[in-house]
Amino acid sequence: MYDSFDTIPYDDSEVIRHHSQSFSLAAQLLPRKIRGDVKKLYAWCRWCDNAVDDAPSRELAQQRLQRLRLDVGLVYDNLQPIHGASAWLADVVCRYSIPKEYPLALLAGMEMDLHHRPIQSQEDLLLYCHLAAGSVGLMMCFLLGTSSVQALGHANSLGMAMQMTNIARDVKEDHARGRCYLPECWLDAVPLNEGLPTSKHVGGAVKRLLAMADQHYANGIKGLRYLPASSIRAIRIAADLYREIGETIRRHDYRVMDGRAFVPMSRKVLLVASGLLRSRHQTAFAVSPTKIVHPFPFTPLS
């Protein structure tokens, strides 16, 4: 039976332009020799996410997820994958020897979305953010030219910080899908099953989430010293652009149920210009120090 998932309407460069202006801007600053491969990795991650999220039924979404997992196995067995989009993953795996555990972790995060259960605790939140986005940071390390234990931990933090920003921005949209990624223990009497909660209901939890995200951004930025000098600026600017979403939410007093926060292009251009002028040695965000907790320790897997 025909499934629209089998058709690829974009090439890898169009996927990143279509879905993420911020990441597309930052990617243009990466060294030319890896820029195309970063776009392929992003395109594969985005394609998988859309395949699951946009499926017309849970049953079809589960079938697609199983096919994606099968393709990951084929890629790592040096066999031809079934789906055309999996060729993007095959290309970067071949070039950079990305450990198999990382793309599988990303798919595990998507399965958590598919069979969504309320996030009960901070530990549940950290695990989800690791699977959904920390895994992408880990894969990016290999493309950027480092796989040290220290670099992996910081890269995971940066990916998790971006996912926390996504969660804060998308509270209203997630509620419409029957999902909530804010830990239940942070929420006071939120009527998740009794109509739309207000910004007052969720504002405290969003504030707490963005404070946690700031700590992970700071920890992620500390890891820039493990990257080749030619990639530092692009990754820092990507972090700046994403973190600005959280700053926009703060400026609007955490009123995430009133509408989706977005960063105007004029502000993005200003942030990029500021990043281009900033010395690559000035890498720390101004946040209070705290211990960063990860779901589990990181060791090289390749």
Side-chain angles (χ1 to χ4, degrees):
M1 185 175 71
Y2 171 74
D3 181 357
S4 60
F5 167 60
D6 294 323
T7 303
I8 305 175
Y10 311 116
D11 65 24
D12 52 355
S13 295
E14 288 174 332
V15 170
I16 191 172
R17 287 196 300 269
H18 185 74
H19 289 284
S20 179
Q21 288 183 339
S22 295
F23 194 73
S24 181
L25 279 172
Q28 297 308 311
L29 302 173
L30 287 167
R32 186 180 298 274
K33 65 181 180 179
I34 65 168
R35 195 181 304 158
D37 293 325
V38 169
K39 291 178 180 178
K40 287 178 182 178
L41 178 61
Y42 177 91
W44 179 78
C45 295
R46 172 56 66 180
W47 185 262
C48 293
D49 191 51
N50 288 348
V52 176
D53 268 358
D54 296 343
S57 69
R58 179 175 294 184
E59 291 74 21
L60 185 56
Q62 186 65 53
Q63 291 173 19
R64 290 177 175 182
L65 192 56
Q66 290 171 350
R67 289 168 63 190
L68 290 167
R69 282 203 179 100
L70 176 61
D71 263 4
V72 170
L74 292 171
V75 164
Y76 280 87
D77 287 338
N78 294 314
L79 298 173
Q80 182 73 27
I82 297 169
H83 197 281
S86 298
W88 295 329
L89 177 67
D91 284 348
V92 296
V93 164
C94 179
R95 290 174 184 266
Y96 302 98
S97 301
I98 296 171
K100 183 179 182 180
E101 287 84 350
Y102 297 157
L104 288 178
L106 180 68
L107 296 181
M110 293 174 191
E111 187 155 36
M112 287 184 70
D113 287 331
L114 182 58
H115 304 289
H116 181 71
R117 299 180 182 88
I119 300 293
Q120 300 287 340
S121 65
Q122 179 173 307
E123 289 70 26
D124 291 342
L125 172 67
L126 290 171
L127 176 60
Y128 173 73
C129 289
H130 159 67
L131 294 174
S135 58
V136 180
L138 295 170
M139 289 188 279
M140 278 290 296
C141 271
F142 289 81
L143 274 66
L144 295 172
T146 182
S147 59
S148 71
V149 176
Q150 297 91 336
L152 293 177
H154 291 292
N156 184 65
S157 263
L158 189 54
M160 290 172 68
M162 291 178 174
Q163 185 63 30
M164 291 173 193
T165 301
N166 277 341
I167 291 171
R169 180 194 61 195
D170 296 341
V171 173
K172 184 177 181 179
E173 292 179 19
D174 288 334
H175 182 272
R177 290 175 177 243
R179 300 174 183 174
C180 180
Y181 296 97
L182 299 171
E184 286 192 342
C185 63
W186 292 3
L187 299 166
D188 294 324
V190 177
L192 293 177
N193 299 313
E194 303 174 10
L196 191 67
T198 67
S199 292
K200 182 178 179 180
H201 286 123
V202 301
V206 172
K207 181 177 182 179
R208 186 170 177 178
L209 178 63
L210 289 177
M212 181 183 290
D214 280 346
Q215 301 296 344
H216 280 275
Y217 277 118
N219 191 50
I221 291 303
K222 287 179 182 177
L224 293 183
R225 63 184 181 271
Y226 299 108
L227 298 180
S230 58
S231 296
I232 289 176
R233 190 166 54 184
I235 302 304
R236 175 59 195 263
I237 287 174
D240 288 344
L241 290 169
Y242 235 86
R243 189 169 180 259
E244 184 63 19
I245 299 170
E247 293 303 306
T248 300
I249 293 171
R250 285 192 176 99
R251 287 194 291 269
H252 289 83
D253 197 28
Y254 307 99
R255 300 189 65 82
V256 294
M257 302 306 293
D258 293 355
R260 196 172 195 256
F262 73 97
V263 180
M265 180 55 71
S266 58
R267 178 62 179 162
K268 291 179 181 179
V269 171
L270 184 62
L271 288 168
V272 171
S274 175
L276 291 173
L277 292 171
R278 182 196 301 118
S279 166
R280 68 184 178 89
H281 299 293
Q282 297 173 330
T283 58
F285 284 125
V287 295
S288 302
T290 189
K291 182 179 180 180
I292 297 296
V293 180
H294 289 299
F296 41 80
F298 293 96
T299 55
L301 298 177
S302 59

